[in-house]
Amino acid sequence: MLREGFNDVLDWLALGVLLFTGFAFGDALLRREDAFRAADKQTKPFWLIILGLAVVVNVFEFFFLVVIGLIAAIVYIVDVRPAIKSLPGGGRGGKRRGSSSDGPYGPFNGGR
């Protein structure tokens, strides 16, 4: 009976890790490519590959690799995501706000 309870806890923990890595992957998927470069982090494809592998590993429950995937997701959520969110627009895709004369780093004023 104790073993069944422990297995239930592990199942819930595995589901939580899967949801966490899935959230990290989805968040990285929604961010703009240039936001990763602007935040001086690894590229978007790098994070999509790492986090995508973390999700796949969690689905198949390879324990040692699950731990590595969890660490990658934690690094993304704790370090990369806040850096990207601090950029103007939060690093999300979609329409840019501002003037048509705005450059990638702000308004272009012709050197004035």
Side-chain angles (χ1 to χ4, degrees):
M1 182 160 158
L2 181 61
R3 185 175 176 160
E4 288 175 16
F6 184 69
N7 284 336
D8 288 343
V9 169
L10 288 180
D11 288 342
W12 282 106
L13 186 61
L15 179 62
V17 171
L18 177 62
L19 292 173
F20 183 74
T21 55
F23 170 77
F25 178 77
D27 185 76
L29 192 63
L30 295 175
R31 302 292 172 182
R32 292 189 334 251
E33 167 66 33
D34 61 335
F36 287 83
R37 290 190 308 270
D40 198 27
K41 301 298 176 186
Q42 292 289 336
T43 64
K44 180 177 181 174
F46 171 85
W47 281 108
L48 289 177
I49 290 169
I50 295 296
L51 296 171
L53 286 173
V55 171
V56 169
V57 164
N58 275 294
V59 168
F60 293 108
E61 297 182 2
F62 299 119
F63 179 73
F64 182 72
L65 296 176
V66 169
V67 173
I68 293 172
L70 177 61
I71 291 169
I74 290 171
V75 168
Y76 175 82
I77 294 294
V78 171
D79 182 40
V80 178
R81 186 172 188 254
I84 292 171
K85 283 184 73 170
S86 70
L87 297 172
R92 295 252 180 200
K95 293 185 179 182
R96 287 189 52 186
R97 296 181 190 116
S99 170
S100 62
S101 65
D102 282 357
Y105 303 108
F108 177 73
N109 60 10
R112 289 178 251 179

